[in-house]
Amino acid sequence: MARPVTLYTIQWGDLSLEEICRKAKEFGYDGVELGLPSHVDVSRSDEGYYQGIKELLAKYDMQLYAISSHLIGQAVCDNIDSRHRAILPDHIWGEGDPEKVRQRAADELIKAGYAAKMLGVDIINGFTGSSIWQYLYSFPPVTKDMVDEGFKDFARRFTPILDVYQKLGIRFGLEVHPTEIAFDIATAARALEALDYHPAFGFNYDPSHFGYQGVDYVDFIYRFADRIFHVHMKDVYWSDTPKPAGVFGGYVTFGDPSRYWNFRSLGRGKINFEEIIRALNFIGYQGPLSVEWEDSGMDREHGAKESCEFVKKIDFKPSAVAFDAAFERK
């Protein structure tokens, strides 16, 4: 095995951290990726709280390489509405005033940087939200200025967060994903440009969000080799034949067989993980492979265990020598 395999805890937010650690150990994982706000309270500033988390992880021999703030980050740049009430803690939602929600979410991400520092990790993964996602289809016609303003808004809101992270020695990995400011290769490049290539900004690579879109998820690794800060392992299936609910989902719930695509347990979708591992080896990525398990049609404990086994089976170290080096005469 070339890299540690960890379990992202966001899909296990109904369980205590100790219960998750116990299960992850039983499933065969090397560590966990802790999800906010369920498993880290970043409002805490006392060292004893974070020491307690580290001791709990050590009790189950769980390594920690990253914490993640997807739900909080979503509110930083989004057009806030009633949907956000369901994913945000009360202290972020407050009275629901959109701009105040965005400001409180940004403050929470800064607190997450200090929490990461206390926990001894240097990666925070998450979402950004987007003020221009609703313009995706470009009808009614969307002007260049409207899109440009969306990326400027993203830069205005995230640069202060990233500046704090840089001072702390923390990096932010955006999970490129529909509804975020970056959702494919083209928009990922624009996000970097909008931030003037801020050194604290990169990507939490997750191929499952690219495959069904028709985006080259292996090429993403090569294009952004120096910005792959963390890797999520998640699979997705898309149909070979037309479906009633197409790429946009048709307002049909995840898991419904009428959908063109659905997330699947690792190894049961269409993502070519062989090529991903080879690409990660080529760029020299040696961080964790973190399983973000999502499969509406499978028991999560069964899926988490088989996914751990799958990742450990398909991962391999790069060669330390050229394959034909042994042919040379000394």
Side-chain angles (χ1 to χ4, degrees):
M1 183 189 70
R3 285 161 278 247
V5 181
T6 61
L7 179 66
Y8 183 26
T9 68
I10 193 68
Q11 283 80 19
W12 308 74
D14 57 317
L15 303 181
S16 69
L17 179 55
E18 180 155 17
E19 181 69 4
I20 292 169
C21 288
R22 183 184 65 78
K23 288 181 179 293
K25 183 68 174 178
E26 292 174 356
F27 297 154
Y29 286 92
D30 304 304
V32 289
E33 174 190 352
L34 298 182
L36 278 64
S38 299
H39 298 122
V40 183
D41 180 1
V42 302
S43 68
R44 300 286 294 272
S45 59
D46 50 306
E47 187 175 345
Y49 170 73
Y50 296 99
Q51 183 60 33
I53 292 177
K54 290 190 280 188
E55 289 174 358
L56 180 58
L57 295 172
K59 175 181 176 180
Y60 292 94
D61 196 25
M62 289 282 102
Q63 301 171 48
L64 181 64
Y65 298 92
I67 63 175
S68 293
S69 58
H70 291 68
L71 303 183
I72 305 300
Q74 186 68 37
V76 173
C77 294
D78 255 11
N79 296 316
I80 304 299
D81 58 36
S82 60
R83 298 170 304 153
H84 297 81
R85 182 69 187 88
I87 66 170
L88 295 173
D90 290 341
H91 68 280
I92 302 295
W93 179 257
E95 74 294 342
D97 176 80
E99 185 55 30
K100 291 180 180 179
V101 171
R102 286 188 284 265
Q103 291 173 0
R104 286 192 290 265
D107 290 343
E108 191 86 342
L109 279 194
I110 289 174
K111 291 178 183 177
Y114 289 97
K117 192 75 172 177
M118 296 282 274
L119 288 168
V121 299
D122 61 2
I123 299 292
I124 296 177
N125 299 316
F127 289 154
T128 61
S130 171
S131 64
I132 55 172
W133 172 250
Q134 73 269 24
Y135 300 155
L136 177 67
Y137 197 71
S138 293
F139 188 85
V142 175
T143 67
K144 178 180 181 298
D145 287 346
M146 293 166 72
V147 175
D148 288 347
E149 179 54 36
F151 280 93
K152 289 176 183 176
D153 177 73
F154 156 66
R156 283 194 299 267
R157 295 181 185 279
F158 256 83
T159 298
I161 299 168
L162 296 171
D163 286 345
V164 173
Y165 283 10
Q166 186 177 8
K167 291 177 182 177
L168 292 171
I170 305 295
R171 297 180 295 171
F172 179 80
L174 166 62
E175 185 169 331
V176 180
H177 179 290
T179 77
E180 312 313 318
I181 195 65
F183 52 89
D184 57 13
I185 289 174
T187 50
R190 287 202 64 171
L192 277 168
E193 182 181 11
L195 293 169
D196 196 22
Y197 302 91
H198 198 294
F201 181 82
F203 303 113
N204 173 50
Y205 173 76
D206 185 332
S208 69
H209 305 302
F210 299 138
Y212 67 86
Q213 289 192 67
V215 175
D216 189 336
Y217 52 84
V218 177
D219 185 51
F220 187 98
I221 297 172
Y222 294 122
R223 283 180 183 251
F224 303 109
D226 63 337
R227 298 284 174 157
I228 305 295
F229 293 166
H230 190 265
V231 171
H232 270 182
M233 300 292 274
K234 191 166 75 173
D235 211 343
V236 65
Y237 171 83
W238 58 93
S239 178
D240 293 323
T241 58
K243 288 283 189 175
V247 173
F248 297 116
Y251 300 116
V252 177
T253 57
F254 284 113
D256 191 301
S258 70
R259 287 172 56 96
Y260 172 70
W261 64 273
N262 272 302
F263 295 124
R264 293 255 179 112
S265 191
L266 281 161
R268 296 178 180 271
K270 287 194 171 183
I271 295 297
N272 188 334
F273 288 99
E274 168 82 15
E275 292 304 314
I276 288 173
I277 295 301
R278 290 184 180 275
L280 293 175
N281 284 345
F282 184 83
I283 69 169
Y285 176 81
Q286 286 300 309
L289 301 176
S290 185
V291 171
E292 183 184 11
W293 188 85
E294 294 183 7
D295 188 330
S296 299
M298 181 183 291
D299 174 77
R300 68 178 177 179
E301 295 199 10
H302 177 96
K305 184 175 185 298
E306 77 166 19
S307 292
C308 182
E309 294 167 351
F310 176 83
V311 176
K312 291 191 174 187
K313 182 178 179 180
I314 58 103
D315 191 25
F316 56 87
K317 294 180 180 179
S319 176
V321 298
F323 78 91
D324 56 355
F327 302 158
E328 297 178 6
R329 291 182 178 273
K330 300 296 184 182

